[in-house]
Amino acid sequence: MYSETVMDHFRNPRNVGVIKDADGVGEVGNPLCGDMMTIYLKIEQERIRDIKFQTFGCGAAIAVSSMLTEMAKGKSLADAKKISNRDVAKALEGLPKNKLHCSNLGADALHQAIQDYEARISGKGKAEPKRKETHEHTHGDKCYCPYCDAEVPEGETFCSACQNDLVEIH
Amino acid sequence: MTAINLDHLSANPLLPEVKDAMIEAIRADYGNPSSQHRIGDRAAEALDAARQSVARLINSPTSKEVVFTSGGTESVNHAIKGVALAHSDRGKHIVTSNIEHNAVLRSLRRLKLLDFKVTSVPVDEYGRVNPADVAEAVTDQTILVTIMHSNNEIGTVQPIEEIAAVTRERKVIFHTDAVDSVGVIPVDVQKLGVNLLSFSSNTFYGPTGVGGLYVRRGTKVWPLLDGGVQEHNKRAGTENLLGIIGMGVAAEAALRDMDRRIAHASGLRGKLMETLPQYIDGFIFNGHPEEVLPNLVSVSIKYVEGESIVLMLDDEGIAVSTRSACAAGALQASHVLLSIGREFADAQGTLVVSFGLENTEEDVIRFLEALKGTVKTLREISPLYNGEAVNE
Ligand code: FES
């Protein structure tokens, strides 16, 4: 079901752990299946010098976290902000449709960690890490029914193809 | 390293004697049991023999009460929708429980679209239904009570006889989904007192794609499939004779070997449950301590997610199943685990281990060793784990 790259990152996840004196922390929860991801950043001269993650989630979520940290490491904050969910999924050679939401978790956590860092240096103090209730859809991202794989319009709670109820937020 | 299958609930291999019988049946070039000539007669005889074997397994007083279907799912659909359609002039209310299989849940959901009302009774922390709750839920509009015999996620066996006493008194039809029970533990339709009982051949090492529905004489049920008059006019379509022959042989074997199989499975189950604390901490067993299937262990492991565990164990050649939302196609937490009071996060780390005839104590130990490493690795990754786990 998963690509070789996904399995590789799942089996040997890179950059696992906690950065005790992190400059920015992003913590998100997956609205669909309830899983969690935390990203820790060490920033030097507006660059990600070190990045670590912790994830409670499926194989895809762990692979996404690992790949994301690899992609973000060493990047300038400006470039890191540009990393999208889709970039991560693509670097992993694709994810099963009903696992695409796990890739949302990854980029969301990174962006939140950067926001947290920016809030801290702008003197707003440590922003409370919060679990995101929902992820933002990048324009063009599609949602699929987890039962029958049919495309469902955003915000829809009923799949007209297979007549199944969908969880509120997908 | 040989692979270890601890996921027999998903699929059982065919018994050697079942394979032999099916191969022989292929070679025998059976005709259509409904034909009037000799070729048809031979087929009808084989069909009848299988029906009698299956009837004996569930202690049905006459084999006429056994309807062959395409499997447990069809049987459940047939029972529920068949009763609903046949009795909707009397009422449109159905009583069920909170922990039923999707075949039941989704049949009922379909009926709700046709204006049927459904009352679902809760279960206790072990997953048991209280018969008094069923009695309370039944109204004069109730036409059917459907409560499973045993649960496929936690193994809990329901007090079916006591519920049947309620339905008998209130003159309501009672169906039980016994897909995970028949062929595994004694199931006696006369003792249980149910009107309808669904079961599946693969549960007791028969082929997939075939199952049965017990319909007590006098129970009015509409067919799901209309056409010819096969299966005593309850299920049209030429019978899946090869599958049915295999099911018949598997039923004979299940009845013959039942005590030995139960002793074997219970031994492995006991070993796993006793030894697990030596390997990991931070877990909760699910299901009733005594009223439970002998061949299943359901355990929720804290701070880790089930799909990840399954993938890692698979790398070590060990197959188990999980009830994590991440592994469910629908990405929803198990309604069964939430119903018995599991926290969402604990439900995520739930494994279902199901034993088969070939499993040994060595398999259990190898599983535990692999599990220990897997849980350690995943907890190191988990943001929920702070280094200490305590058993509840
Ligand atoms: S984290 Fe739950 S499906 Fe990926």
Side-chain angles (χ1 to χ4, degrees):
Chain A
M1 136 179 162
Y2 290 130
S3 74
E4 267 311 307
T5 316
V6 171
M7 286 310 291
D8 174 39
H9 278 262
F10 168 69
R11 289 188 181 116
N12 311 296
R14 305 10 167 202
N15 307 308
V16 175
V18 181
I19 301 178
K20 285 250 156 61
D21 53 345
D23 299 317
V25 179
E27 199 174 89
V28 295
N30 191 329
L32 207 46
C33 62
D35 292 337
M36 285 157 216
M37 190 181 295
T38 311
I39 294 277
Y40 303 87
L41 295 178
K42 196 79 203 150
I43 310 286
E44 245 167 43
Q45 292 170 345
E46 298 301 287
R47 237 169 229 292
I48 299 180
R49 189 176 61 77
D50 199 10
I51 176 166
K52 290 213 182 304
F53 81 88
Q54 284 186 307
T55 292
F56 170 70
C58 71
I62 290 173
V64 161
S65 326
S66 166
M67 176 59 90
L68 174 91
T69 56
E70 287 280 278
M71 290 167 78
K73 207 172 196 168
K75 281 219 165 67
S76 70
L77 289 183
D79 284 346
K81 278 186 200 167
K82 286 190 206 131
I83 298 175
S84 75
N85 306 320
R86 215 174 319 164
D87 296 335
V88 180
K90 213 166 131 201
L92 286 168
E93 284 170 359
L95 287 167
K97 272 184 199 163
N98 69 345
K99 294 283 181 177
L100 280 173
H101 69 276
C102 314
S103 67
N104 293 325
L105 204 59
D108 288 354
L110 173 65
H111 297 157
Q112 216 176 83
I114 296 175
Q115 268 172 31
D116 178 43
Y117 163 74
E118 285 171 345
R120 289 190 203 186
I121 54 163
S122 67
K124 288 197 200 111
K126 189 174 184 290
E128 264 299 299
K130 57 173 181 288
R131 306 233 180 272
K132 277 187 70 176
E133 292 300 307
T134 168
H135 65 89
E136 282 121 42
H137 280 257
T138 329
H139 184 71
D141 270 2
K142 294 187 172 108
C143 290
Y144 297 91
C145 171
Y147 300 100
C148 73
D149 265 1
E151 199 181 316
V152 282
E154 208 182 322
E156 195 53 78
T157 56
F158 188 74
C159 173
S160 54
C162 66
Q163 302 189 342
N164 275 308
D165 297 322
L166 305 175
V167 272
E168 309 270 306
I169 314 142
H170 62 264
Chain B
M1 195 163 60
T2 49
I4 298 177
N5 181 7
L6 293 174
D7 184 18
H8 286 266
L9 229 49
S10 294
N12 274 320
L14 300 184
L15 286 181
E17 59 199 284
V18 170
K19 287 181 190 167
D20 290 346
M22 290 180 74
I23 291 168
E24 214 175 284
I26 290 173
R27 295 221 168 92
D29 287 329
Y30 282 115
N32 187 327
S34 303
S35 307
Q36 263 65 59
H37 43 63
R38 272 170 230 203
I39 303 174
D41 285 350
R42 277 176 57 232
E45 276 162 27
L47 178 63
D48 191 50
R51 200 185 304 280
Q52 290 189 20
S53 303
V54 170
R56 271 196 294 278
L57 178 62
I58 56 171
N59 199 27
S60 168
T62 128
S63 68
K64 282 207 182 77
E65 294 176 322
V66 172
V67 178
F68 285 116
T69 67
S70 67
T73 296
E74 182 189 321
S75 300
V76 167
N77 271 262
H78 189 164
I80 294 176
K81 294 173 184 171
V83 167
L85 292 174
H87 298 271
S88 61
D89 54 340
R90 269 206 309 119
K92 290 188 130 190
H93 182 243
I94 298 172
V95 175
T96 188
S97 87
N98 281 352
I99 62 165
E100 298 296 311
H101 188 271
N102 265 343
V104 170
L105 292 180
R106 294 174 133 195
S107 291
L108 293 173
R109 180 155 67 187
R110 201 65 71 188
L111 289 174
K112 281 194 208 161
L113 297 174
L114 299 172
D115 290 331
F116 283 84
K117 299 277 174 284
V118 176
T119 303
S120 190
V121 298
V123 293
D124 64 17
E125 60 184 307
Y126 303 117
R128 289 263 281 186
V129 169
N130 182 350
D133 289 343
V134 177
E136 205 167 298
V138 170
T139 72
D140 56 357
Q141 291 295 303
T142 310
I143 52 169
L144 172 70
V145 171
T146 177
I147 309 259
M148 72 197 329
H149 189 274
S150 64
N151 183 275
N152 54 311
E153 296 187 32
I154 57 175
T156 300
V157 177
Q158 300 297 343
I160 297 298
E161 283 182 60
E162 293 165 47
I163 300 169
V166 171
T167 58
R168 230 183 352 261
E169 194 199 312
R170 306 291 291 273
K171 299 206 168 30
V172 175
I173 295 173
F174 184 18
H175 165 248
T176 189
D177 164 4
V179 165
D180 291 307
S181 298
V182 169
V184 175
I185 51 176
V187 172
D188 177 336
V189 290
Q190 300 186 58
K191 211 168 126 216
L192 290 176
V194 294
N195 302 85
L196 298 152
L197 181 139
S198 296
F199 55 106
S200 158
S201 140
N202 189 240
T203 306
F204 48 93
Y205 299 87
T208 53
V210 55
L213 177 63
Y214 162 78
V215 184
R216 198 206 290 165
R217 199 198 302 241
T219 310
K220 204 167 111 197
V221 193
W222 277 17
L224 274 190
L225 303 178
D226 291 304
V229 294
Q230 291 90 351
E231 298 298 301
H232 306 292
N233 215 2
K234 292 197 175 66
R235 197 226 188 224
T238 300
E239 299 83 352
N240 167 15
L241 192 55
L242 293 178
I244 289 170
I245 287 172
M247 182 177 184
V249 174
E252 295 277 352
L255 196 57
R256 181 190 68 213
D257 297 343
M258 177 122 358
D259 292 346
R260 205 167 47 77
R261 287 187 193 176
I262 292 176
H264 171 250
S266 311
L268 298 177
R269 182 170 186 274
K271 178 85 186 170
L272 198 167
M273 294 179 72
E274 276 160 32
T275 328
L276 184 67
Q278 294 168 21
Y279 289 84
I280 62 168
D281 55 3
F283 59 83
I284 317 168
F285 287 120
N286 303 307
H288 197 279
E290 281 115 38
E291 301 299 327
V292 68
L293 291 174
N295 57 343
L296 177 155
V297 176
S298 173
V299 59
S300 300
I301 303 172
K302 287 176 169 286
Y303 318 119
V304 289
E305 188 279 325
E307 188 203 278
S308 299
I309 306 178
V310 168
L311 290 174
M312 284 196 176
L313 290 177
D314 188 43
D315 276 347
E316 311 218 16
I318 298 169
V320 294
S321 167
T322 175
R323 286 299 171 268
S324 152
C326 299
L331 298 173
Q332 273 169 333
S334 151
H335 61 287
V336 176
L337 295 170
L338 298 183
S339 294
I340 60 169
R342 287 292 155 270
E343 299 285 331
F344 189 93
D346 293 341
Q348 284 297 77
T350 303
L351 295 185
V352 179
V353 175
S354 47
F355 302 109
L357 302 179
E358 86 286 3
N359 289 133
T360 62
E361 287 203 355
E362 245 174 85
D363 294 350
V364 172
I365 299 303
R366 255 186 63 197
F367 159 70
L368 289 172
E369 277 164 1
L371 182 69
K372 181 180 178 178
T374 297
V375 169
K376 183 167 177 286
T377 307
L378 288 173
R379 281 187 178 161
E380 274 162 13
I381 304 179
S382 171
L384 301 181
Y385 185 61
N386 59 6
E388 48 197 84
V390 184
N391 291 335
E392 275 174 27

